[in-house]
Amino acid sequence: MSTPKTNTASQPAATKGGVIPKGRAFWWKLMDTDVGIIPLPVYLLLIILLIAFTATKGVTGELAMVIAISAVFAFTLGEIGNRLPLVRQIGGAAILVTFVPSLLGYLGLVPEPMKKAVGDFFSSSKVLNLFIAAVIVGSILSMDRRILIKGFLKIFVPLLAGSVLAIVCGTAMGTLLGLGLHDTFFFTVVPIMAGGVGEGAIPLTIGYSSILGMDQGEALARVLPPIMVGNLTAVLLAGILSLIGKKFPHLTGNGQLQPGGTDMLDEKEEEKPAGLDLKAIAAAGITAVSLYLLGVLAFELFDWPAPVVMLFAAVLLALAHGVSPRIQAGSKVVYKFALTAVAFPILFTFSLILTPWQSLVAGFAPANLITIVTTVTAMVGGGFLAARWVKLHPVESAIVASTHSGMGGAGDIAILTASNRMRLMPFAQIATRIGGGLTVAGALILISIIK
């Protein structure tokens, strides 16, 4: 369990005369001890309430219930991950929250009413998209525009280097292990780099079905294991990269992509004592919602990927000095709130609802596993080595490259959370959305030629 940092804001307020009333010190200490973000007594109360609602068949799909379920499970797993030897040093919290819920659901250890309530809300509300909007828009609008320009131009070099190396090494390894050149490339390597399930595997397998005359369900069943295990590998490697950055500080910018200067997310100045401007935070939040809806409209009208439209709209707004310092400050708070309070519940829900445990198990067949790990490792290695060519921090460059092997937006969240580099989300979205789209398009063109 986490306890707050020592500062005047987190200490129990003294009463008149500077003396804490008798008996309150212990209780206040408990209230200032958190499980994730949940005060310990509140955490215990929520567990009792959830047990009671389950026993009385009172679990519903209302928002308060969904928040309680996802928060209790997610932050419990996060606390366990933060305490496991060795694993905690490579992002254990994010790893457990990303994959253990899938196992819990498979074993029936999450009561079915809870699973249904969370799943229905997750599917109908599209809360994952809104979370990504808050992170992307919040990070971009609060970032120094000079850093933004240089970073977006440079990041394509390590992405390209990593992609080429992943294709060569992954395809060669699968072929050597007897998976076959054709199947290794189109059904293992390409799915890993396709950008996830919704925007990667589904259009990819629809294309395969049309071109090869195979059933789409069969194609989807074949590409899901590489996507799932590829994402797990990327999460593990991101945690290892974070550990490397701690051991060798000259290789990392601690979340900053390129050397020289600082972005506006760095805490270089003391917080002003005046407190938070709630209107600025609300204004930044509604700005994120507006840009998200702009992306949705672009998808409806032109079939353009909504996250990509949102990403570039935020970049253009930042480059054009389209937001005031007040909105920039509010954007930083929106970004930090999303990471602190929402990231783990989102990861838990995605794993429980949309990560089939059987697909993960299928990916652990020896030949498949070795091929997948080789592909993702080559992707990360290419990003790490190419960083020097364009003067980027190797650790951050490699982490962004690793997101090209993730499961879309949820994969980006897991990878960046495991490495404590969530401020790289705008660059990760380039790798996932644009890199994934180009991979799918290229693969479908190639397979139509050689079929």
Side-chain angles (χ1 to χ4, degrees), residues 85-366:
L86 300 179
V87 177
R88 66 185 179 188
Q89 296 178 312
I90 57 170
I95 293 170
L96 261 66
V97 178
T98 303
F99 295 100
V100 170
S102 175
L103 176 60
L104 296 178
Y106 175 73
L107 296 176
L109 296 180
V110 178
E112 190 59 34
M114 291 188 183
K115 185 175 179 180
K116 183 178 186 306
V118 172
D120 289 348
F121 175 80
F122 187 81
S123 302
S124 62
S125 68
K126 297 187 178 180
V127 66
L128 175 63
N129 294 339
L130 188 59
F131 171 80
I132 294 174
V135 173
I136 291 178
V137 176
S139 58
I140 288 177
L141 297 188
S142 59
M143 189 179 295
D144 187 297
R145 63 191 297 274
R146 295 168 300 174
I147 302 293
L148 195 61
I149 295 171
K150 294 178 181 178
F152 269 77
L153 292 176
K154 291 179 178 180
I155 197 59
F156 286 99
V157 174
L159 280 177
L160 179 60
S163 299
V164 171
L165 195 59
I167 290 171
V168 173
C169 294
T171 305
M173 180 60 71
T175 304
L176 288 174
L177 293 175
L179 297 180
L181 176 63
H182 181 277
D183 282 3
T184 299
F185 178 75
F186 288 108
F187 289 93
T188 301
V189 174
V190 167
I192 290 172
M193 302 165 57
V197 178
E199 295 183 351
I202 291 177
L204 182 68
T205 53
I206 289 174
Y208 285 175
S209 174
S210 174
I211 295 169
L212 300 177
M214 66 186 304
D215 180 70
Q216 192 212 344
E218 177 189 347
L220 189 61
R222 291 181 64 181
V223 303
L224 276 180
I227 293 173
M228 303 292 180
V229 180
N231 188 70
L232 172 59
T233 305
V235 172
L236 291 170
L237 290 178
I240 293 171
L241 285 166
S242 179
L243 184 61
I244 291 173
K246 294 175 182 177
K247 298 290 185 181
F248 304 98
H250 66 284
L251 295 176
T252 181
N254 294 312
Q256 184 178 307
L257 186 61
Q258 51 193 338
T262 58
D263 63 41
M264 293 185 69
L265 295 175
D266 286 324
E267 301 294 342
K268 295 298 183 181
E269 300 178 358
E270 295 184 359
E271 294 291 336
K272 296 181 180 179
L276 300 176
D277 183 344
L278 296 181
K279 287 188 67 176
I281 298 169
I286 200 66
T287 300
V289 169
S290 300
L291 294 181
Y292 165 68
L293 292 177
L294 176 64
V296 173
L297 180 61
F299 177 77
E300 294 291 337
L301 295 178
F302 310 110
D303 205 27
W304 295 346
V308 175
V309 174
M310 175 181 63
L311 172 68
F312 280 100
V315 171
L316 291 175
L317 192 62
L319 296 183
H321 296 285
V323 291
S324 65
R326 181 181 76 99
I327 303 299
Q328 284 186 319
S331 297
K332 186 191 298 185
V333 177
V334 169
Y335 160 85
K336 288 185 175 181
F337 174 80
L339 301 190
T340 303
V342 187
F344 274 17
I346 288 287
L347 288 176
F348 164 78
T349 305
F350 186 87
S351 177
L352 179 67
I353 304 303
L354 296 178
T355 306
W357 180 252
Q358 299 91 324
S359 295
L360 282 172
V361 173
F364 282 94

Side-chain angles (χ1 to χ4, degrees), residues 10-55:
S10 63
Q11 297 302 310
T15 58
K16 185 176 181 181
V19 179
I20 299 175
K22 185 178 180 180
R24 291 188 184 177
F26 177 70
W27 176 254
W28 286 355
K29 183 177 180 180
L30 287 179
M31 288 298 290
D32 285 338
T33 301
D34 300 327
V35 178
I37 64 168
I38 312 172
L40 180 58
V42 177
Y43 172 79
L44 297 175
L45 174 62
L46 282 174
I47 291 177
I48 295 171
L49 290 172
L50 291 177
I51 292 173
F53 278 119
T54 302

